[in-house]
Amino acid sequence: MVSNSVLAVYNCMSSSNQSDHQTGDLEKPPPCDKNPTKEESSQDYDPHSFGNEHYPSFFWGTAFNMFKSILGTGMLALPFAVKSVGYGVAIVGIFLGGCIYTHAVHLLMEVEYELCKKLKTPNLTFLGIVTNTFEQGPRSVRKFIPVAKFLTYFHYVFDKSITNSIYLITIGGNMQIIINHFCNVDLNIVSAISAIMIVIIPLSLIRNLKFLAPFSTLTSVFCVINVILIVSIPTDYDSSSDLKAIADITKFPDFFGLSLGAFMCTSIVVPLKNNMRYPKTFTSSFGVVNVTLSAVVVLYCIFGCLGYLKYGDSLQGNILSNLPPDSLLTLVVLNLYTFSVCISFILMLFTIFDTIWSNLFVNRKMSHPIMAEYALRMFICITAYCLAVILPDFKIMASLSGVMGTLMEETMPILLHTLMVFQKKKKTARVYLCLLKDLILLSICSFLFFAALIQVIRSIVKFYS
């Protein structure tokens, strides 16, 4: 699932001597035993030659980690997204969105490669890529370095907190269905979320990530099982008259936010590549990025269309809400998802905690550092709870997560590549074509971002009206 990104960071750092609470550092690149000599020029220095030799990952292991990092609760909104625009438009939209996102990942890796050659370092973190690109860019953009850093921290903290609130809404919704049907109790979503915090808060105080690693693999297996069960549970719905190839095109921004929210994995891309024994295979023609994201696009198209085929216009924002509550398979799916999402919440909390702690508190003198850690974990947990209670709507929160992710997961890599290309001294025809392509993609992503953001704001206003 998306939150498994923190496990990849942990795997990247497992060979180094880190304290229990640390899982990575946004500022510092992972350590490497091989150091380039000062005599090497940037033309001769190849960052791909410095693969991880201590507990490295290889092609299929990296592909599996990336695949399970993408699969998450965002999938549950895909059938509703397909319903919004029609299955024909949705298939084309998911395919094109997947292509743009895949290209954005390649651009990010290309920027990192060029920066590593120039700086003579084996690899960089995401924040290092953003910061160094602006520092190496034109003087007119260097003054925006603080803004770029703020947006990066904002993405890692706020957007991940939204993801955690989505997890709480999913858990609360599952509990609401189970208790309302089997116990004949009228439990609302806010009460269900509040009740689950009794379990979530103690779990959020776990300081060692090693204890959660086995459960992460288990949640990935449960996720695949759930996808199969969801599309196979028999229902009484007759959706044959509801299916449309082209529905309401004006809802495409909403579809864009929901579908892109299911793709987010840029935070895992850099550590996964850094942990490979042969980093060059990560972005090759038949490399990890292309193979994994192609499989994800196919899976999303199938799952979204099958969900729409099954429930038609009766689809709700979370497809779990459409499952027949009296079915034994529904009970299995809801319980498996509840367990998986609980683990995912704790793993995502590690990502948020480490981002804040490693960059703001780790070097400060404290009389009670462990108590400070616990307080920060509690604060992150309560923040996600407040977001979930303030806006307990799965569809709106999933759209908001996708919209916010668009800024850093698609638009930012394209912008960084544009700055890198603009800095080239020799402006050949190929360079100008590349620059034109980047500007076109930047315009498309920016337009979709603002259009989707406006749609989300309208949905929030409608929710409270």
Side-chain angles (χ1 to χ4, degrees), residues 340-408:
S340 300
V341 174
C342 278
I343 300 300
S344 299
F345 180 95
I346 306 306
L347 293 173
M348 183 61 72
L349 185 141
F350 265 93
T351 304
I352 304 171
F353 166 79
D354 191 70
T355 301
I356 300 174
W357 184 267
S358 298
N359 294 281
L360 298 179
F361 296 101
V362 72
N363 293 322
R364 294 189 178 183
K365 293 182 179 180
M366 302 179 191
S367 56
H368 302 286
I370 295 180
M371 293 301 296
E373 284 188 35
Y374 285 141
L376 181 56
R377 292 177 189 275
M378 289 283 290
F379 174 78
I380 297 169
C381 194
I382 293 173
T383 300
Y385 168 76
C386 292
L387 289 172
V389 170
I390 292 172
L391 192 59
D393 188 291
F394 179 88
K395 182 183 75 68
I396 296 177
M397 294 299 282
S399 297
L400 181 60
S401 177
V403 170
M404 299 307 298
T406 303
L407 190 63
M408 295 302 296

Side-chain angles (χ1 to χ4, degrees), residues 114-340:
E114 293 298 326
L115 284 173
C116 287
K117 286 185 67 174
K118 184 177 292 187
L119 301 173
K120 297 180 183 179
T121 184
N123 44 61
L124 293 168
T125 61
F126 184 76
L127 180 61
I129 297 171
V130 174
T131 304
N132 283 286
T133 302
F134 276 84
E135 287 178 350
Q136 300 291 329
R139 291 185 178 180
S140 57
V141 303
R142 294 175 189 174
K143 59 184 177 182
F144 295 106
I145 293 177
V147 177
K149 280 189 175 183
F150 170 79
L151 288 175
T152 305
Y153 285 121
F154 184 80
H155 168 67
Y156 269 91
V157 177
F158 182 73
D159 191 35
K160 302 305 180 186
S161 296
I162 292 177
T163 302
N164 259 356
S165 68
I166 295 174
Y167 290 152
L168 291 178
I169 293 171
T170 304
I171 298 170
N174 293 351
M175 284 187 60
Q176 186 184 24
I177 295 172
I178 295 172
I179 294 176
N180 288 357
H181 181 75
F182 292 99
C183 301
N184 294 322
V185 177
D186 188 14
L187 182 70
N188 60 48
I189 184 68
V190 174
S191 299
I193 294 173
S194 300
I196 198 64
M197 293 302 291
I198 299 174
V199 178
I200 290 292
I201 289 178
L203 290 176
S204 67
L205 301 180
I206 297 175
R207 298 178 65 242
N208 197 327
L209 194 61
K210 296 177 182 179
F211 298 132
L212 296 175
F215 294 104
S216 172
T217 303
L218 201 59
T219 59
S220 302
V221 175
F222 286 168
C223 184
V224 175
I225 294 174
N226 286 331
V227 169
I228 297 173
L229 290 178
I230 287 172
V231 298
S232 61
I233 293 176
T235 65
D236 297 329
Y237 295 107
D238 181 15
S239 62
S240 57
S241 60
D242 298 336
L243 304 181
K244 297 177 182 136
I246 302 176
D248 190 354
I249 301 298
T250 59
K251 292 184 178 179
F252 188 81
D254 197 22
F255 162 82
F256 174 77
L258 290 172
S259 59
L260 187 63
F263 273 101
M264 299 303 177
C265 72
T266 303
S267 59
I268 184 61
V269 165
V270 178
L272 278 178
K273 192 274 299 179
N274 291 345
N275 197 48
M276 290 192 71
R277 180 65 184 91
Y278 304 106
K280 194 172 184 178
T281 61
F282 191 74
T283 53
S284 59
S285 299
F286 294 95
V288 173
V289 174
N290 290 346
V291 170
T292 305
L293 289 178
S294 296
V296 169
V297 167
V298 173
L299 177 63
Y300 281 2
C301 286
I302 293 174
F303 180 73
C305 290
L306 286 179
Y308 180 45
L309 176 66
K310 199 174 188 65
Y311 297 106
D313 282 341
S314 65
L315 270 168
Q316 300 183 42
N318 185 346
I319 193 174
L320 296 180
S321 302
N322 286 93
L323 301 180
D326 55 349
S327 171
L328 178 61
L329 289 179
T330 298
L331 186 62
V332 173
V333 169
L334 294 178
N335 280 283
L336 288 180
Y337 247 113
T338 299
F339 172 79
S340 300

